[in-house]
Amino acid sequence: MSTREEEYNFETLALHAGYEPKDDSNNSRAVPIYQSTSYVFDDADHAADLFALEEEGNIYTRIGNPTNDVLEQRVAKLEGAEAGLATSSGMSAIHLTAVTLADGPGEIVSSKYVYGGTYHLFAESLPKYGIETTFVEPNDAQAWEEAITEETKFLYLESPGNPTLDVVDIEQVAEIAHQYDLKLVVDNTFNSPYLSNPIEFGADIVLHSTTKYIGGHGSSIGGIIVGPEEFLLKARTEGYRDLGPSQSPFNSWLFIQGLETLSLRMEKHSDNALRVAQWLEEQPQVEWVKYPGLESHPQHELAKKQQKHFGGMICFGIKGGFEAGKELINNVELCSLLANIGDTRTLIIHPASTTHEQLSKEEQEEAGITDNLIRLSVGIENVDDIIDDLENAFTALK
Ligand SMILES: *Cc1c(COP(=O)(O)O)cnc(C)c1O
């Protein structure tokens, strides 16, 4: 890497960090896809040294791959972390982080406003392996402290949280974590590394579903974990190697393409979402709007401190509850009805009847999912077309 890398800004690092043409034997300007399962050892001693972790190098793509390595170094750089590890999905990044930090049975204290899959992993799947989770209101410092026990292995949060878009005071939770000698893990998927770097506010480990804004085009599933070198080496040589959630080099290459335009896209997603949120606030069919960029958002000031812009995610409550929510979704044309976020295209979903449907009523309430909640992932289309589509859908409501 260039000797001037330390001076480069985000946009430049997103294009150059972790790779130079001389890293490739053909001087390829674009990062090559190393679509290879394995790597030839120089001789028997070289092979033995690699297996003994006495020398760094490639052995087998389930453990490490040169294209994945560029993605790992690049995201680590953009997040201000020492190292990274690319996984097959966001969920595998969360699972691997949890089992590596827990290192056996134990407890997690988590914000209750987390991705539906994360909630299910913590509440239903991990308990089968002796890892139990207590969910807390994330901006209540006392709630975190009260939930911490001798068995607690780490603290976990998302900001803004999915899908209620609560912004969490990362500095406050990091202080509590460190007071008890625990690590704070932050899922930074909604912000992407461009809008916020949780490590700046004290987080120890940051992870992303790269499926979302990093990939950015709704084409591939992936995840990444960044944090201290020592933690990632443990994760790679234990859970990553044994459980096998490795990323395909082709997907890593697509995420590298995504990173190149991440800053441009996040600016546009944020501009469009602010306009849509402001418009929604004025509609008579809308009961409430939650967007970190609106002054009405309960953590608007905190969002201004923690984020560069306010992102592409909005949620709002439609008058008429569950049925009106489903009807609105049937009325849109441009907005795609699907279970993803962070696509270039505008996406819409009614969580109560879809992503959070597997949760009980109590669990839905606990996670902040009301019957009338609509989640919008605002894309980078012309914003007037997005607003027109929503306007037509509102007008058609019975
Ligand atoms: C989508 C998502 C995940 C899970 O990622 P996958 O790539 O779908 O496995 C985790 N956290 C957040 C905030 C997400 O939006």
Side-chain angles (χ1 to χ4, degrees), residues 53 62-64 72 83-87 92-103 205 224-246:
L53 301 178
R62 175 157 45 74
I63 304 163
E72 289 159 355
L85 183 58
T87 59
S92 61
I94 299 165
H95 176 240
L96 180 61
T97 299
V99 297
T100 305
L101 285 173
D103 206 24
I205 293 160
I224 195 155
I225 312 165
V226 299
E229 182 105 49
E230 189 187 358
F231 167 74
L232 286 152
L233 186 67
K234 179 176 162 68
R236 188 187 294 276
T237 53
E238 294 177 12
Y240 194 68
R241 191 194 58 192
D242 295 353
L243 304 171
S246 52

Side-chain angles (χ1 to χ4, degrees), residues 50-115:
L50 286 173
F51 273 90
L53 301 178
E54 275 163 16
E55 191 176 328
E56 270 189 40
N58 297 304
I59 298 174
Y60 189 62
T61 283
R62 175 157 45 74
I63 304 163
N65 168 281
T67 308
N68 294 2
D69 181 60
V70 176
L71 177 67
E72 289 159 355
Q73 286 193 46
R74 199 163 285 183
V75 177
K77 212 43 168 208
L78 295 175
E79 284 287 10
E82 285 174 13
L85 183 58
T87 59
S88 56
S89 68
M91 285 316 301
S92 61
I94 299 165
H95 176 240
L96 180 61
T97 299
V99 297
T100 305
L101 285 173
D103 206 24
E107 292 175 14
I108 303 169
V109 183
S110 170
S111 161
K112 63 184 191 179
Y113 304 122
V114 290
Y115 178 68

